[in-house]
Structure formats: structure tokens, C-alpha cells
């Protein structure tokens, strides 16, 4: 590995970012970690984004619809459902995705510069989704992986990150 | 002191959140102005005066880095401070934006008090308190 600074455990960095972002920007405290092997994720939304720079890779966030709406209400301060249509909820989930990905990378490799792509929707709860991120057989194997899932009290949130080293 | 604040971010939700957080923090704001990217912000600054600019980095058309560079070239940065508000907490990015002329840098997630303190610091209000 060519990095100059020792890297923290990717899953720990990811978990810390999820908790910090939820608590500070969405006024939400997770009830605890969840093992998706024991408690599979119910129907959920999926948002992904890519990043480039000293390391490149992809990030994916999965969240159950009720939790997505709850955090969107906290973020916007909207109390009337008419004020918060589904498109607005999706916009907030995209922002959540962006913040968790950026926060994870910044703390995991604070001496590097990353360029974040825009969050994009992979699937909504209304469309069929796999239980796990898709695997492309042609994609190179990631050097670092991170995964965390949390109980948000009535819903679940899972985050996954794959990081590859860029060519020198 | 009451501030005229320009929020530059491509996410309408984030712009709304920042407005809300400024109110929650107790900051007195006389006007919120908004732009979805650096280009729109420059067009707005040609006809509006503000006390402080809060800008994201990753935006379409003109990103935050290019926006700060344009403001520096125009001389506007000498009178209007810019605070970068970004998810990017890397030292390298912070140093780069500061070298370009940004006077403040706030990383998301941030507390309401942190936003208020950063605005007061870059506008010099903190010094006269």
C-alpha cells in the first residue's frame, strides 16, 4: 500500500460518519447496530455515488421508506406531509448519502483530496431491489471495504463503501 | 448586527437547512439570498450586496473552487468574506480553498452554533463582542 498515513478501519470510519451525520444534521440517534445476516433489510430505497482522487470507489446507502421520511422531516423541519412530497424526501436522502460518503472519506484519509460525484438513485422502495449491492464480475477487487447497518427505531439504514487505490 | 447572507448550494434542501440552522443558532439575518451554483451566485452579486457568502464545493456549471477564484480575481473577496460549507473535511482541501481566498471553512456535519460562530468570526463581529 502506497498511502503515507495509516488508515483507520473502514467500517469504523463509516459507522462514526453515519452516527455523526444523523445526530448533527438530522437530529436522529440510531438505536444500535444491526447485523443484516440476522435481520435482513426490508423493502428500501437505494442511493449510490462514486468518488475519485487518491482513492476511487463507490458508496451505497440503503434506507427503509419510513426512516427516509422521518429523517427528511427532521432535516427540513416540515411537519405537514403536504410540505414534504416524495421527491423532497428523495432529495434529502441524496444529501444524506453525500454527507456520509464525504465524511467517511475525509476522516479515513484526511491527508488526501477526493472528488465526490453526485448521488444517484439506484432503486426506490417501489421498485424491486436486491438485498445486497450488485457485484460486477469485471470490476477490480476493492482494497478496502466498509459496512454498517443501524436500527433507526422503526426502520433501518445500511451503508457500504468500496475503495480502490488509484494508479500512482 | 443583522446579516445579509448568500447561500450557494445546488441542493435546495441544504439551502433550506442552512437557513433553518441560522435561525436556530440565534443569528440575526436580515436577508437570505440563494444561488444553485457559482455562476448564478456571481450574477446575483452583480445586483445585490451581501455581508457574507456560504458556498458548497461540488456544484454543476461553476463549482465552489472556481467561484472563490472568480471572486478573488474580481476583488470582491477583499470586502465580502466567503465560508466554504462542505462534506470534505480533508486538510488538503481546506488548505487549498483557504489559499484561494476563502476566509472560513465549515465541514458537514456541523452544529448550529458552529455556523453562527464561523459567520461572526469571518465578518469580524466576534472581535467587537
Amino acid at each position: 500500500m502506497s498511502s503515507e498515513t495509516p488508515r483507520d478501519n473502514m467500517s469504523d470510519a463509516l459507522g462514526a460518519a453515519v452516527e455523526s451525520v444523523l445526530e448533527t444534521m438530522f437530529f436522529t440517534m440510531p438505536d444500535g447496530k444491526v447485523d443484516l445476516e440476522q435481520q435482513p433489510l426490508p423493502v428500501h430505497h437505494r442511493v449510490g455515488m462514486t468518488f475519485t482522487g487518491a482513492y476511487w470507489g463507490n458508496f451505497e446507502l440503503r434506507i427503509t421508506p419510513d426512516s427516509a421520511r422521518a429523517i427528511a422531516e427532521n432535516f427540513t423541519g416540515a411537519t405537514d406531509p403536504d410540505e414534504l412530497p416524495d421527491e423532497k424526501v428523495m432529495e434529502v436522502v441524496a444529501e444524506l448519502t453525500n454527507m456520509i460518503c464525504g465524511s467517511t472519506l475525509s476522516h479515513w484519509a484526511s491527508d488526501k483530496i477526493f472528488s465526490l460525484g453526485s448521488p444517484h438513485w439506484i432503486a426506490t422502495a417501489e421498485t424491486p431491489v436486491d438485498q445486497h449491492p450488485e457485484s460486477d464480475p469485471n470490476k477490480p477487487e476493492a482494497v478496502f471495504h466498509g459496512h454498517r447497518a443501524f436500527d433507526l427505531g422503526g426502520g433501518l439504514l445500511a451503508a457500504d463503501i468500496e475503495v480502490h487505490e488509484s494508479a500512482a | 448586527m443583522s446579516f445579509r447572507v448568500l447561500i450557494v448550494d445546488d441542493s435546495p434542501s441544504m439551502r433550506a437547512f442552512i437557513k433553518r440552522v441560522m435561525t436556530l443558532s440565534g443569528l440575526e439575518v436580515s436577508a437570505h439570498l440563494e444561488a444553485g451554483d457559482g455562476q448564478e451566485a456571481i450574477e446575483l452579486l452583480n445586483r445585490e450586496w451581501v455581508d457574507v457568502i456560504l458556498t458548497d464545493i461540488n456544484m454543476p456549471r461553476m463549482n465552489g473552487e472556481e467561484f472563490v477564484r472568480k471572486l478573488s480575481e474580481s476583488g470582491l473577496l477583499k470586502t465580502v468574506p466567503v465560508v466554504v460549507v462542505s462534506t470534505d473535511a480533508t486538510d488538503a482541501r481546506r488548505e487549498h480553498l483557504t489559499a484561494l481566498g476563502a476566509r472560513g471553512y465549515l465541514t458537514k456535519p456541523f452544529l448550529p452554533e458552529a455556523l453562527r460562530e464561523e459567520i461572526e468570526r469571518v465578518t469580524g463581529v466576534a472581535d467587537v463582542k
Side-chain angles (χ1 to χ4, degrees):
Chain A
M1 195 172 118
S2 61
S3 53
E4 301 83 6
T5 307
R7 304 284 172 231
D8 291 335
N9 179 290
M10 193 91 231
S11 291
D12 288 346
L14 176 59
V18 170
E19 289 180 313
S20 172
V21 168
L22 284 176
E23 184 180 356
T24 312
M25 304 291 277
F26 296 87
F27 313 109
T28 301
M29 278 294 286
D31 285 349
K33 289 179 197 166
V34 170
D35 180 355
L36 293 184
E37 299 282 323
Q38 306 291 324
Q39 187 180 347
L41 201 62
V43 172
H44 55 272
H45 303 309
R46 278 174 74 183
V47 187
M49 62 186 286
T50 58
F51 51 88
T52 55
Y55 296 94
W56 64 275
N58 54 282
F59 176 84
E60 185 172 311
L61 183 127
R62 291 170 287 161
I63 186 166
T64 51
D66 287 353
S67 291
R69 179 159 288 277
I71 64 152
E73 286 173 357
N74 286 354
F75 189 72
T76 59
T79 50
D80 183 347
D82 292 342
E83 285 181 80
L84 203 59
D86 288 344
E87 307 84 68
K88 203 81 181 166
V89 173
M90 292 165 81
E91 191 185 299
V92 173
V93 172
E95 193 59 47
L96 169 70
T97 304
N98 183 49
M99 275 190 262
I100 293 174
C101 180
S103 184
T104 302
L105 292 170
S106 297
H107 290 99
W108 182 71
S110 65
D111 56 332
K112 302 294 183 189
I113 284 189
F114 294 95
S115 181
L116 302 181
S118 297
H120 60 275
W121 280 81
I122 299 169
T124 67
E126 288 73 37
T127 59
V129 293
D130 299 330
Q131 287 298 324
H132 296 286
E134 294 159 14
S135 59
D136 176 356
N138 298 318
K139 200 165 71 173
E141 195 171 330
V143 178
F144 302 97
H145 297 266
H147 165 78
R148 280 286 182 268
F150 292 93
D151 180 350
L152 299 183
L156 299 178
L157 176 152
D160 293 87
I161 189 166
E162 284 187 357
V163 180
H164 305 257
E165 273 191 303
S166 295
Chain B
M1 179 180 170
S2 191
F3 296 96
R4 289 175 62 83
V5 182
L6 170 60
I7 304 166
V8 190
D9 198 305
D10 58 329
S11 164
S13 294
M14 181 51 71
R15 297 199 301 266
F17 177 78
I18 290 174
K19 276 171 65 176
R20 182 164 162 250
V21 161
M22 283 195 291
T23 305
L24 286 173
S25 75
L27 194 76
E28 284 184 48
V29 179
S30 58
H32 296 104
L33 294 97
E34 297 183 27
D37 58 58
Q39 183 62 47
E40 190 183 342
I42 283 176
E43 287 161 13
L44 194 149
L45 287 167
N46 284 331
R47 55 181 194 277
E48 296 278 358
W49 166 80
V50 297
D51 295 299
V52 61
I53 300 167
L54 308 175
T55 183
D56 187 19
I57 296 176
N58 293 317
M59 295 180 289
R61 287 212 302 175
M62 183 187 292
N63 65 28
E65 202 172 297
E66 185 64 16
F67 175 50
V68 173
R69 188 178 286 117
K70 293 270 185 200
L71 292 179
S72 178
E73 288 167 2
S74 71
L76 199 63
L77 277 186
K78 288 179 185 155
T79 50
V80 183
V82 170
V83 176
V84 175
V85 182
S86 171
T87 53
D88 193 335
T90 60
D91 300 334
R93 182 75 73 184
R94 182 188 293 266
E95 286 161 12
H96 183 57
L97 267 297
T98 303
L100 284 177
R103 230 171 297 170
Y105 197 104
L106 192 63
T107 55
K108 304 174 204 169
F110 57 82
L111 292 167
E113 299 75 34
L115 178 61
R116 188 189 68 215
E117 285 167 12
E118 195 66 350
I119 290 174
E120 290 181 341
R121 185 184 69 78
V122 300
T123 54
V125 169
D127 298 335
V128 294
K129 273 190 169 179

